Amino acid sequence: MKNATPPPIPKPGGAPVKNAVSVRALDVTLDGTHVLRGVDLAASTGEWVNIIGPNGAGKTTLLRALLGLVSFDGEITIDGLSDRRRSSRARKVAYVPQTPVIPPGMLVADYVLLGRTPHRGVFAAETANDRKIAAEVLTRLDLGGFGERTVQSLSGGERQRAVMGRALAQQADLLLLDEPTTALDLGHQQDVLELVDALRRERGLTVIATLHDLTLAARYGDRIAILAQGRVAETGPPADVLTVQNIAEYFGASVRIVDDPDGPVIVPTAGAGRDPVAQNGDQP
Amino acid sequence: MSDQPAGRADVVLQASGLRPGPLAAGLAAAVIAVLAGLTIGPVDIAAHRVALQLLDGLPGVTIDSGLSDAHAAIVEQIRLPRVALGLLVGATLSVSGATYQGAFRNPLADPYLLGIAAGAGLGATIAITSNLGDGAGVLDPVPLAAFAGALISVTVSYVAGHLGGRSTASLILAGIAVASFLTACQTYVLQANSDAFRQIFAWILGRIATSGWSEPALMLPYFLVTVAVVLRYRRALDVLAVGDEEAAALGLEPRRVRMIVVLAASLGAAAAVSVSGLIGFVGIIVPHTVRLAFGTSNRLVLPLSVLFGGAFMVLADLAARTALAPAELPIGVVTAFLGAPFFVLVLRTSRREIW
Ligand SMILES: Nc1ncnc2c1ncn2[C@@H]1O[C@H](COP(=O)(O)OP(=O)(O)O)[C@@H](O)[C@H]1O
Ligand SMILES: [Mg+2]
């Protein structure tokens, strides 16, 4: 997959692109805490938007709102979704949670097949087609021989891929990833994000992900939104959003930014202003 | 994510389910337990004659089993109803326990988690101490009061648990609070009527006792409803294993599923408790043994709990009535006495991670 050359994404600006998701004036209050305040966000079909922001900013809550897991004020529109049934939504939106629940004793094959739940219905057995899709997903994720293992017995990276496999088996148009790389080493981080990117190009998936690694967020996203204290503080192309000032302001971090052909590289510094390269990043 | 050898995606992927092997094992266990229950007793009757006698009882079949009329009567009128009740009670308590464990994602959950035992105990205690008369069978006030007490306590636990935040933890805590309260009430009633102590204690320890077919007939509809509902939801319970939030993201309505299966399991458990008293341990030991032996998917745990639970109870009852014959041990004592060491053995030998 790494050596495959994916076709380019259709450039925005040509034909008007439909919004796969749009969020307007989203307010969420959890147990008296005003977690999201007037969030506006949109992602066009096939776009990859990364949401970054400090811990507690409300990233997970935003994804949960998109999944219909929390009650909210405001408006969330998901392309092609008209009724409010959970099963309809689950056919449109797939989710990789930040800390997935690993069911004791469940086999990887059964776990990935859970992704077919919204298609088969709660009472029906999975069809041959469901099994075929799950098998393809497992192969695609390099988990081909793991079907009979328990999810518990997998390593961190294998587990993360199994969770990803369950989401991919849903065959939804919109993929929500909550810190999908946190448990992974660098190689596996890349593998997972490359896979998502490849699938996005093949199937026109729309991806909304939260990521802590800003360099990865810049490399894999079309657009970045900074969420801070429940508001969207900045949104735009990675190079515009990932500035030294923004990172200082919203993350309280001192960094310098190295321009690389593949996008900005964010390097933490021990103290601000000591390295002349930091000046480059200051003026994008 | 290296290149895959071509054709790997064609590998057939199997979902967990009730395979013929485990199903045959469960059926064999049930058949052996039934034959043992019908054969062994103060008079030993040959198993093949018992089998023939049973076949003879089927509509349209006439076989001479070679049993004397007296022995045939022992098999058909004394042992058969008792074995049938053991099967129904054991199967219901086991499948209810398996359901509770799945619905609450808690290995320690048993059918008494939401106060069924305490509620039934209080109901039975009130019925016994207030001498409501002793109508037999359907009109016997003790099981009726126990049944009412069990259902009331589950309902109160459910409502209180939902008021307390709708999480499974709040539901379990509500069940514990309700159970403690009802047990305190029961203790109070007991203190005030110490002459009824023995009778109440005997009820609490449980028994598989029958007077003809009225008890199994009473139990049968509840067994059928519980098993039908719970088995229908076996796949939903597997989805629920990833927790409410992820299950909801997969299109399930977790709280609705939990409410339906828990109420169905509670109904069966309440009926079992009201005919047989508080038989402990079955609801935990049988489902876990099935998980250790065959796997954790509810698609196999639920149906196999029905078969193995029924078999276990029939064998436990056999031990209860033969170990100190002619005296009978309380069945609750036997289930724990036989069940605990067996379970430790299974735990030691199984290499499966079940929880
Ligand atoms: N169920 C809840 N009740 C109350 N506050 C919550 C709840 N869930 C999250 N929060 C609060 O909402 C804020 C945002 O949380 P979250 O969306 O998880 O942030 P992030 O994913 O960006 O780290 C945090 O301050 C958190 O404490
Ligand atoms: Mg988060």
Side-chain angles (χ1 to χ4, degrees):
Chain A
M1 190 174 316
K2 272 174 195 158
N3 41 24
T5 46
I9 313 174
K11 277 266 183 294
V17 190
K18 242 202 307 193
N19 271 350
V21 203
S22 85
V23 173
R24 285 174 38 126
L26 181 71
D27 262 53
V28 173
T29 301
L30 296 173
D31 291 340
T33 314
H34 206 162
V35 179
L36 294 180
R37 308 154 184 262
V39 168
D40 292 312
L41 188 79
S44 50
T45 304
E47 193 181 19
W48 181 331
V49 178
N50 282 319
I51 300 170
I52 62 170
N55 292 324
K59 304 181 293 294
T60 298
T61 306
L62 176 54
L63 298 187
R64 293 176 68 221
L66 290 171
L67 288 156
L69 298 175
V70 293
S71 53
F72 55 84
D73 290 324
E75 198 185 310
I76 294 178
T77 317
I78 291 167
D79 184 34
L81 183 65
S82 48
D83 70 286
R84 296 174 56 83
R85 272 177 304 170
R86 284 202 196 286
S87 53
S88 310
R89 188 184 291 254
R91 284 193 291 270
K92 288 281 166 205
V93 189
Y95 177 45
V96 173
Q98 186 172 355
T99 42
V101 173
I102 302 302
M106 189 179 282
L107 304 182
V108 173
D110 290 330
Y111 186 77
V112 171
L113 276 167
L114 289 182
R116 301 303 299 162
T117 307
H119 299 276
R120 65 169 166 81
V122 169
F123 300 123
E126 56 286 303
T127 62
N129 185 44
D130 291 331
R131 290 203 298 274
K132 183 169 149 272
I133 288 166
E136 280 167 7
V137 163
L138 282 175
T139 307
R140 186 84 203 239
L141 288 163
D142 252 3
L143 291 173
F146 288 66
E148 297 286 302
R149 291 262 301 271
T150 62
V151 185
Q152 270 171 321
S153 73
L154 301 181
S155 74
E158 291 158 354
R159 222 180 250 200
Q160 183 68 27
R161 280 181 280 150
V163 179
M164 187 71 81
R166 186 185 80 189
L168 294 180
Q170 271 176 265
Q171 296 194 322
D173 302 329
L174 174 61
L175 189 56
L176 304 181
L177 309 173
D178 199 356
E179 298 185 20
T181 56
T182 309
L184 306 179
D185 63 56
L186 191 56
H188 282 108
Q189 292 185 8
Q190 253 175 355
D191 283 347
V192 163
L193 295 175
E194 286 290 338
L195 173 75
V196 171
D197 205 33
L199 287 166
R200 174 171 76 121
R201 288 162 198 275
E202 281 167 31
R203 303 191 189 159
L205 296 186
T206 309
V207 180
I208 298 183
T210 75
L211 288 173
H212 269 313
D213 188 313
L214 302 182
T215 306
L216 285 179
R219 187 134 318 173
Y220 287 96
D222 300 320
R223 216 146 45 84
I224 289 184
I226 298 186
L227 198 64
Q229 296 179 331
R231 295 174 212 276
V232 175
E234 305 280 340
T235 170
D240 296 354
V241 171
L242 294 174
T243 62
V244 169
Q245 294 93 329
N246 279 345
I247 292 170
E249 179 172 353
Y250 299 116
F251 290 85
S254 156
V255 299
R256 62 194 169 85
I257 293 178
V258 181
D259 280 321
D260 181 271
D262 282 343
V265 174
I266 287 79
V267 185
T269 57
R274 276 195 307 189
D275 193 320
V277 187
Q279 309 312 316
N280 296 341
D282 274 344
Q283 266 77 42
Chain B
M1 246 130 292
S2 52
D3 291 350
Q4 288 296 318
R8 275 298 284 279
D10 300 339
V11 171
V12 187
L13 180 140
Q14 280 295 318
S16 290
L18 190 52
R19 305 265 161 80
L23 177 62
L27 288 172
V31 168
I32 290 169
V34 166
L35 283 180
L38 294 176
T39 310
I40 302 169
V43 279
D44 280 334
I45 302 172
H48 70 277
R49 292 197 195 287
V50 168
L52 290 176
Q53 183 70 28
L54 289 183
L55 290 176
D56 182 47
L58 293 177
V61 182
T62 316
I63 301 175
D64 181 12
S65 67
L67 287 182
S68 69
D69 283 353
H71 282 188
I74 288 174
V75 169
E76 289 188 331
Q77 284 157 40
I78 298 176
R79 291 188 188 167
L80 195 54
R82 186 161 175 157
V83 163
L85 186 64
L87 273 182
L88 293 173
V89 166
T92 306
L93 288 176
S94 304
V95 83
S96 296
T99 303
Y100 266 68
Q101 286 141 28
F104 291 104
R105 302 199 297 122
N106 186 330
L108 297 179
D110 76 357
Y112 306 148
L113 187 73
L114 296 183
I116 282 187
L122 178 61
T125 303
I126 290 174
I128 290 170
T129 54
S130 54
N131 277 317
L132 287 175
D134 41 15
V138 188
L139 293 176
D140 187 346
V142 176
L144 279 179
F147 189 62
L151 290 188
I152 289 170
S153 63
V154 170
T155 310
V156 171
S157 299
Y158 224 99
V159 171
H162 264 221
L163 295 179
R166 302 173 135 219
S167 70
T168 53
S170 67
L171 200 47
I172 293 174
L173 290 173
I176 290 173
V178 168
S180 306
F181 179 79
L182 295 177
T183 304
C185 293
Q186 187 197 11
T187 308
Y188 175 80
V189 177
L190 262 179
Q191 288 297 329
N193 301 273
S194 50
D195 47 323
F197 232 96
R198 260 189 85 88
Q199 208 186 339
I200 291 165
F201 197 60
W203 185 87
I204 287 175
L205 285 174
R207 84 225 61 86
I208 301 288
T210 45
S211 49
W213 284 96
S214 65
E215 287 86 359
L218 203 65
M219 189 61 214
L220 183 65
Y222 296 101
F223 163 80
L224 291 176
V225 167
T226 298
V227 168
V229 172
V230 159
L231 284 188
R232 181 163 163 73
Y233 277 85
R234 63 196 186 279
R235 295 191 179 88
L237 278 170
D238 278 350
V239 182
L240 211 54
V242 294
D244 283 16
E245 181 128 333
E246 291 177 51
L250 290 168
L252 200 74
E253 295 283 357
R255 283 198 286 263
R256 188 197 300 162
V257 168
R258 182 177 306 108
M259 189 170 85
I260 291 170
V261 297
V262 166
L263 290 187
S266 300
L267 189 68
V273 165
S274 60
V275 292
S276 295
L278 301 183
I279 304 176
F281 219 61
V282 199
I284 289 206
I285 189 176
V286 173
H288 283 315
T289 304
V290 169
R291 287 188 187 95
L292 286 164
F294 302 110
T296 59
S297 166
N298 285 294
R299 299 165 191 213
L300 54 95
V301 171
L302 293 172
L304 292 178
S305 290
V306 171
L307 295 173
F308 284 106
F312 176 71
M313 189 63 80
V314 170
L315 292 177
D317 183 47
L318 178 60
R321 63 186 169 82
T322 53
L324 294 180
E328 283 197 16
L329 286 169
I331 183 97
V333 172
V334 179
T335 54
F337 196 78
L338 289 182
F342 174 72
F343 190 55
V344 171
L345 194 74
V346 176
L347 267 181
R348 275 193 57 104
T349 49
S350 174
R351 293 173 51 231
R352 226 181 262 274
E353 292 170 86
I354 61 162
W355 225 287

